[in-house]
Amino acid sequence: MADRYLSLTGTAPGRFLTRRLGLPQPARLRRWSPEQPSLQGRLLHLTAGKSDLDLAPVLTFAGLDLDLVRAGSALDVGTENPVAVVLDATGVRDVDTLAEVHAALHPVVRSVAGSGRIVVLGSPPDPADHHQAAVQQGLEGFVRSLGKEIGRGRTVNLVRLTDARAAESTFRFLLSPRSAYVSGQVIEVGDGAGAGTGAGGTGAPADWGKPLAGRTALVTGAARGIGEAVATTLARDGARVVCLDVPAAEADLAAVAGRLGGVALALDITADDAGARIAGALPEGGLDVLVHNAGITRDRRLVNMPAERWSPVLDVNLASVLRTTDALLTGGTLRPGGRVVATASIAGIAGNAGQTNYAASKAGIVGLVRSLGPRALSEYGVTVNAVAPGFIETRMTAAVPLFIREAGRRMNSLAQGGLPVDVAETTAWLASPGSGAVNGQVVRVCGQSMLGA
Ligand SMILES: NC(=O)c1ccc[n+]([C@@H]2O[C@H](COP(=O)([O-])OP(=O)(O)OC[C@H]3O[C@@H](n4cnc5c(N)ncnc54)[C@H](O)[C@@H]3O)[C@@H](O)[C@H]2O)c1
């Protein structure tokens, strides 16, 4: 459903009026398009504290001119506004060096271009050093606050890492138009051990423009909405897609699969033998990317919720995810280097009145990825992550009453709803062979929603 307020604030009189009334000012976000696949312009690389990371090789990609400013040197803000800033704060170990974060960003933050990106790099908090742990945690509060005040479609995220090379796919995502609706997030990137992306590893795709070339991806709930966008984006990235949805959606499903040159699989994902049916339908027998997107709601407050409204939600959103993941993983259908991306929701993080069933199922997804991620990586070489959408413009949210819908759209740092493609782009990044060091993560695609923040 069209966001009329966003259209209004895109006109000069509308902007004047809404500013005078003190109303939110959503910026028109710059998203990926074939004509503008990357950010174009100056990437400012700043450092706070002493860092051992060698970032230059992984920050040098098409569209961005790297401008390295060494720690302690005088900062020339320059005449060309940066489209992106990477602040390496991995060496911040005490309150004095935390002040260098302020010193580095204070002079440049105003000049970052609209729809620009700020990525702060931190180190994992050290359990043996409470000073380092305190200030590294401090970066989280810093990033989340800056995300709330920066405006103009600009995003701010924190990446905790130890190995720059293992984070290349994450930089390519966060420093691009594909992450337009991801802000205020904390993403942990490991060293890639077990996933072929650690130092000296070969996880990087041969062609970053087609990272999923030669891979097979299955998307559940692919007949419409977010699932259709995910299948489309994975196909854009080179994957052979298998599109799954309920038999009642067969016509739409066939149309999506046909458009993408993929395979349609009409199947209720709650069927006991769904895992075996999926394995049997794969063109080459094996699977590289499994996207659990199918989901339903049956809202009612708990006092009014009969078991008939509880069970189907838990069955579609959680039990079937657990069952099919187990079957495809233990049966060897998911190949080493495989990726599982499940779909949570900010309702599963914040809770939502009328959604005890839905929120329980989506919080269950968070528990699943945190527990299974490390084990699946060491035993099968497969990563397990989740996306947690916020307010996304789909048929599901178009059905929400007007005032609640408007609140959902505006109550985030970007003051607008996301699009299905925003969830799809995040899924594609997690599905990339280059993302083997991103595991057990729940990444919110919510424009930094106030809910559960
Ligand atoms: N739209 C949002 O704002 C939002 C927010 C948070 C989370 N999500 C989650 O994102 C996912 C997609 O949401 P959407 O808005 O595109 O929903 P949607 O209702 O438009 O699409 C869901 C798809 O899943 C399919 N499906 C449902 N039950 C199935 C089953 N048993 N077997 C196979 N397929 C089944 C449906 O037929 C439909 O095509 C869901 O998991 C949803 O909970 C959406």
Side-chain angles (χ1 to χ4, degrees), residues 215-239:
R215 302 206 156 209
T216 302
L218 179 114
V219 183
T220 71
R224 67 179 202 203
I226 295 172
E228 179 181 359
V230 171
T232 306
T233 304
L234 298 184
R236 175 204 68 187
D237 283 356

Side-chain angles (χ1 to χ4, degrees), residues 94-186:
D94 53 34
V95 178
D96 287 342
T97 42
L98 186 60
E100 292 180 24
V101 171
H102 166 265
L105 283 177
H106 169 71
V108 296
V109 76
R110 194 192 300 275
S111 66
V112 177
S115 279
R117 304 277 181 264
I118 296 182
V119 175
V120 176
L121 308 182
S123 292
D126 183 349
D129 180 350
H130 56 284
H131 290 245
Q132 187 270 6
V135 291
Q136 284 295 329
Q137 189 68 29
L139 291 177
E140 198 170 314
F142 175 86
V143 160
R144 292 194 201 278
S145 300
L146 186 56
K148 289 186 177 178
E149 62 189 41
I150 195 164
R152 293 178 50 213
R154 296 175 290 187
T155 65
V156 191
N157 292 289
L158 174 64
V159 176
R160 290 202 180 109
L161 77 171
T162 50
D163 175 353
R165 278 197 55 192
E168 181 165 359
S169 81
T170 301
F171 289 133
R172 284 176 178 265
F173 172 65
L174 291 177
L175 297 172
S176 82
R178 292 181 288 135
S179 58
Y181 202 60
V182 177
S183 192
Q185 297 306 292
V186 180

Side-chain angles (χ1 to χ4, degrees), residues 219-229 244-249 252-253 265-271 292-298 312 315-317 320 342-348 358 361-362 387-398 400 418 420 423 445:
V219 183
T220 71
R224 67 179 202 203
I226 295 172
E228 179 181 359
L244 180 152
D245 213 300
V246 287
D252 288 343
L253 184 67
L265 177 57
L267 171 67
D268 186 327
I269 196 68
T270 63
H292 294 291
N293 161 81
I296 59 169
T297 52
R298 297 283 184 274
D315 204 17
V316 175
N317 298 3
S320 74
T343 308
S345 163
I346 57 166
Y358 183 74
S361 71
K362 295 300 189 180
V387 289
F391 184 98
I392 305 296
E393 305 280 358
T394 60
R395 268 203 239 175
M396 196 191 245
T397 47
V400 171
V423 183
V445 187

Side-chain angles (χ1 to χ4, degrees), residues 3-18 23 25 28:
D3 182 345
R4 294 210 177 90
Y5 182 80
L6 181 61
S7 309
L8 176 70
T9 54
T11 65
R15 207 160 31 244
F16 175 77
L17 181 69
T18 51
L23 294 172
Q25 298 296 311
R28 202 160 275 282

Side-chain angles (χ1 to χ4, degrees), residues 421-442:
V421 73
D422 297 320
V423 183
E425 295 284 14
T426 309
T427 303
W429 153 56
L430 295 169
S432 166
S435 297
V438 185
N439 190 27
Q441 302 295 297
V442 178

